Amino acid sequence: MSSRLLALLALSAWPLNGFCFSTPRGSKQPFLSYATSNNSSAPAYKDSSLCVNDRVEDLLQRMTLEEKAGQMFHAMLFMGPNGTLDEGSEAAFRNSTNFMLGDQFITHFNLVGDITDAKQSAEFYNLVQQRALETRLGIPITLSSDPRHHFTENIGTGFNAGRFSQWPETLGLAALRDVGLVQRFAEIAREEYLAVGLRAALHPQVDLSTEPRWARISGTFGEDSNLTAALLTAYIKGFQGEKFGSTSVSTVTKHFPGGGPMENGEDSHFTYGKNETYPGNNFNHHLIPFKAAVAVGARQMMPYYSRPIGTQYEPVGFSFNKEIVTDLLRNELGFEGVVVTDWGLITDTYIAGQYMPARAWGVEHLSELERAARILEAGCDQFGGETRPELIVQLVNEGVISEERINASVRKLLREKFILGLFDNPFVDPDAAARIVGNDYFTRLGNEAQRRSYTLLTNKNETLPLRNVGSETKFYIEGFNATLLQNRTYTVVDKPEDADYALLRLAAPYEPRPGGFESGFHAGSLEFSAEERARQETIYSKVPTIVDMMLDRPAAVPEVADQSVAMLASFGSSSEAFLDIIFGVAEPEGKLPYDLPRSNAAVEASKEDVPFDTKDPVFKFGHGLAYADRCGKTGCKTK
């Protein structure tokens, strides 16, 4: 290789990956000459025959400071009535779509709400994209999404599947230990995302669930670092494809450097949960999944809100923390992609009618302007959930932040758009979206995964499956609609004592929290109240009871395992899936993705950052039985 080519490589802004490298890092002008379009009437950045880096530099030099600042914000996008552009809401502190696109120059949006009509959603995406192309430079939007293929209804963590194929939560995928299935899920999710214009996934969530009380465990792969690393690798490959390009969905791996070790299990969305603590000196253990994400080519990373306690790092929120973002993530782990903050670090707001202060933990005393500066100085590229580009303009105009620093982040953000092909083909086909999203094949695979991910915890006297019960069998039920059993010709009764079996679908215990937003987080005690235990005990004493518990986080319920005749764990499933498992139409294949602790006291005595350290768990990681007729009288051995 010639010395001149080596010099060019050394000055390149990006590693070699099939794209040009003629623009040196930090330079306003290209290394050799300014890129020109083959079409003299069009600017070079619109010429698809040119190299990506040249197109980025051409566009960057044409942008005003205000247009650059707009790229650095990732806003929420709402659909207006009947698929129209959202007119905004002063009461909800929400700008109109027209204002965000035309006045604030924002082009990165997180789509809010369930998708129930794929064609309408695709048409809405095209409408927003068309509006973006009408701006001075015509920079296309990048539309992102929180997880939406599962059963989540908490707007702080994701959306229900709606029209998409519906799969178990990632905990359910972890219960199956099937790397190939995880990649297939991600490939299917990618096809459905692409069909409606979603080009960035605000996931995977790869935090380790070492603190069982934490309210965000449902989106993780569980407690084991090696299993998480293996599954997230397949997940990212499935969404991004073998080569990142025009058929990819960019992934945002979160929450760096691992949100699992929350003090007392509280969540850092809220003032009482701002601390992440490491009493076991186990900080590096939580980096294992993120190292795997960097190795497989993760495009974007999101730090969590928390501030580290008891570590070598400054106790300020991770996105404000240069030691975390620049020194650790970029310099030590070698991550070169986009760092986007979690939502709402600068501005106080209201969410679902609840007042939510900015999550500026450790730097609450700073002004909004100072918070923005601190985030940029830490090394973040984009502000999540904010629409405050005027702060960036002010910081540059006042000389606090250089425009070259802004350019460094905007380059990455624009480059992502170019590689995704958004400048060349920004629109989608609504009719194709209607055919692709939730098609019979995708739906069947999701339904099969729901059933397979069921985990059989106990099965006394080989009660399950109920294959030989007749239509005269009477059931007492809780947690699902009686018509589902009646459609299978069974009788549903109102009292446990009148039944042959009781079927209970129970949510894992939690302590309800107030507020429109906060109430969606299942936090607090892992035990049922004394009143609820007594109520359930009455049922168990009167009739053989089969329990399905939705474990969105570990539950401390030894009494349920002791008193029921069979206990199943599920991680996102329909009631039809539950009945198929009960009657032997399908069989449970899952293994627990975490330990199930014996009590709150055992959890309180454990260390938030250490996995598998609660005393005498009721069921250990990997526990899961199979039906006796498949694996013999004693069931399959757990792994």
Side-chain angles (χ1 to χ4, degrees):
M1 186 178 290
S2 71
S3 59
R4 179 171 177 75
L5 184 54
L6 285 171
L8 284 171
L9 287 172
L11 289 168
S12 172
W14 305 97
L16 270 175
N17 60 356
F19 299 97
C20 295
F21 49 92
S22 60
T23 304
R25 186 184 302 272
S27 173
K28 290 185 176 180
Q29 298 297 326
F31 184 74
L32 296 177
S33 62
Y34 179 65
T36 58
S37 172
N38 292 329
N39 181 354
S40 59
S41 65
Y45 72 88
K46 292 187 176 182
D47 187 346
S48 61
S49 70
L50 296 178
C51 299
V52 166
N53 286 354
D54 288 338
R55 297 177 75 183
V56 169
E57 291 304 318
D58 178 78
L59 177 55
L60 189 64
Q61 79 152 10
R62 297 173 189 271
M63 296 173 73
T64 65
L65 176 58
E66 289 76 12
E67 288 165 333
K68 293 175 184 177
Q71 305 306 309
M72 301 182 72
F73 288 82
H74 199 136
M76 309 293 278
L77 182 68
F78 291 76
M79 184 189 297
N82 301 313
T84 58
L85 296 183
D86 177 38
E87 294 184 356
S89 170
E90 185 175 350
F93 296 85
R94 191 172 78 242
N95 292 328
S96 72
T97 302
N98 261 320
F99 180 77
M100 289 189 290
L101 287 167
D103 293 80
Q104 295 185 305
F105 309 109
I106 294 173
T107 68
H108 295 82
F109 295 98
N110 176 19
L111 183 64
V112 177
D114 296 346
I115 290 178
T116 56
D117 185 325
K119 183 175 181 180
Q120 183 186 62
S121 294
E123 289 170 342
F124 171 69
Y125 165 79
N126 286 345
L127 181 64
V128 179
Q129 200 67 275
Q130 181 59 48
R131 177 64 185 88
L133 295 183
E134 292 168 1
T135 59
R136 186 180 76 89
L137 294 172
I139 299 174
I141 70 161
T142 304
L143 193 61
S144 69
S145 177
D146 286 303
R148 56 173 69 245
H149 275 85
H150 312 294
F151 289 78
T152 305
E153 296 183 3
N154 180 356
I155 62 170
T157 60
F159 301 101
N160 209 336
R163 188 67 186 90
F164 286 10
S165 57
Q166 194 164 34
W167 298 66
E169 309 292 337
T170 46
L171 281 174
L173 298 177
L176 287 170
R177 312 291 203 271
D178 188 336
V179 172
L181 178 66
V182 171
Q183 183 161 342
R184 186 68 184 124
F185 157 73
E187 289 168 346
I188 288 170
R190 168 163 55 116
E191 289 194 48
E192 293 185 309
Y193 271 36
L194 290 172
V196 296
L198 294 168
R199 302 308 306 273
L202 297 172
H203 44 93
Q205 184 188 343
V206 303
D207 312 291
L208 302 177
S209 61
T210 54
E211 168 44 78
R213 293 170 291 182
W214 188 37
R216 297 294 304 276
I217 288 175
S218 66
T220 73
F221 291 105
E223 193 168 1
D224 184 80
S225 60
N226 293 323
L227 177 63
T228 296
L231 296 184
L232 77 87
T233 297
Y235 193 101
I236 290 174
K237 285 181 179 178
F239 269 100
Q240 295 187 173
E242 290 302 316
K243 181 178 180 181
F244 191 73
S246 61
T247 60
S248 298
V249 170
S250 182
T251 57
V252 181
T253 304
K254 61 186 186 185
H255 303 88
F256 189 78
M262 299 307 304
E263 186 176 74
N264 300 320
E266 298 293 1
D267 186 69
S268 53
H269 275 88
F270 311 107
T271 54
Y272 52 72
K274 63 182 70 173
N275 292 339
E276 198 158 307
T277 185
Y278 299 87
N281 297 315
N282 212 27
F283 181 93
N284 287 337
H285 181 76
H286 292 263
L287 296 179
I288 291 172
F290 296 95
K291 292 177 179 178
V294 172
V296 76
R299 303 295 302 185
Q300 304 184 53
M301 288 275 183
M302 178 184 288
Y304 208 32
Y305 296 117
S306 324
R307 61 177 188 173
I309 301 298
T311 73
Q312 69 189 66
Y313 302 103
E314 184 182 5
V316 298
F318 289 127
S319 288
F320 298 95
N321 200 319
K322 186 176 182 180
E323 295 171 330
I324 292 292
V325 176
T326 295
D327 296 345
L328 177 59
L329 178 58
R330 294 202 187 281
N331 295 342
E332 186 174 332
L333 300 189
F335 180 68
E336 297 181 342
V338 172
V339 176
V340 53
T341 76
D342 213 327
W343 265 219
L345 301 188
I346 300 173
T347 314
D348 296 351
T349 191
Y350 285 81
I351 304 177
Q354 179 178 357
Y355 173 70
M356 292 290 293
R359 272 70 78 198
W361 308 141
V363 293
E364 294 94 333
H365 62 285
L366 295 182
S367 68
E368 293 175 338
L369 191 68
E370 290 168 332
R371 292 171 187 172
R374 180 76 185 251
I375 290 167
L376 291 173
E377 289 164 353
C380 297
D381 300 299
Q382 194 173 60
F383 299 84
E386 303 273 5
T387 55
R388 303 295 305 280
E390 72 277 5
L391 295 176
I392 308 305
V393 174
Q394 184 178 348
L395 287 170
V396 174
N397 287 339
E398 293 180 358
V400 177
I401 299 292
S402 71
E403 190 164 356
E404 282 307 306
R405 167 65 187 87
I406 302 305
N407 288 347
S409 290
V410 175
R411 258 190 204 97
K412 295 179 190 176
L413 295 162
L414 293 177
R415 188 170 185 270
E416 200 83 349
K417 289 180 185 287
F418 278 110
I419 299 175
L420 287 171
L422 289 169
F423 278 89
D424 305 319
N425 186 22
F427 299 106
V428 297
D429 181 345
D431 291 325
R435 294 192 301 270
I436 293 169
V437 173
N439 67 58
D440 290 345
Y441 175 61
F442 292 172
T443 297
R444 176 172 63 80
L445 293 183
N447 289 340
E448 288 175 358
Q450 290 177 37
R451 288 154 175 78
R452 291 181 58 207
S453 66
Y454 262 92
T455 301
L456 183 61
L457 300 178
T458 66
N459 193 17
K460 298 170 186 174
N461 300 318
E462 300 172 14
T463 298
L464 294 179
L466 301 178
R467 286 201 177 107
N468 299 317
V469 296
S471 59
E472 72 282 358
T473 306
K474 298 176 182 178
F475 291 92
Y476 170 79
I477 69 170
E478 291 182 3
F480 64 100
N481 195 310
T483 58
L484 299 179
L485 264 178
Q486 293 164 347
N487 290 341
R488 298 184 186 221
T489 72
Y490 296 110
T491 300
V492 177
V493 297
D494 295 330
K495 298 178 181 179
E497 55 265 31
D498 295 335
D500 298 302
Y501 293 97
L503 304 179
L504 308 183
R505 297 201 78 199
L506 302 176
Y510 66 95
E511 294 175 308
R513 298 289 170 89
F517 180 65
E518 192 175 356
S519 62
F521 290 76
H522 291 180
S525 176
L526 298 171
E527 300 178 4
F528 286 119
S529 67
E531 293 78 11
E532 176 60 16
R533 287 199 300 271
R535 189 193 73 80
Q536 291 181 26
E537 185 175 0
T538 299
I539 300 172
Y540 303 142
S541 67
K542 292 180 177 179
V543 60
T545 304
I546 299 163
V547 174
D548 168 22
M549 187 167 291
M550 165 55 179
L551 291 178
D552 60 340
R553 59 186 187 136
V557 289
E559 73 283 357
V560 177
D562 289 341
Q563 297 171 18
S564 62
V565 297
M567 182 179 179
L568 291 149
S570 58
F571 308 96
S573 63
S574 68
S575 294
E576 289 284 17
F578 166 61
L579 293 178
D580 280 354
I581 292 293
I582 292 302
F583 294 116
V585 178
E587 297 190 8
E589 299 179 31
K591 310 293 182 185
L592 280 177
Y594 40 52
D595 285 354
L596 291 189
R598 188 159 294 277
S599 64
N600 269 331
V603 173
E604 290 167 359
S606 67
K607 296 177 180 179
E608 288 94 334
D609 59 325
V610 178
F612 309 118
D613 72 331
T614 61
K615 183 179 180 181
D616 189 25
V618 179
F619 299 108
K620 293 185 177 181
F621 170 86
H623 176 78
L625 306 175
Y627 287 156
D629 58 357
R630 180 179 168 198
C631 295
K633 290 292 183 182
T634 59
C636 294
K637 293 182 179 179
T638 61
K639 294 181 180 179

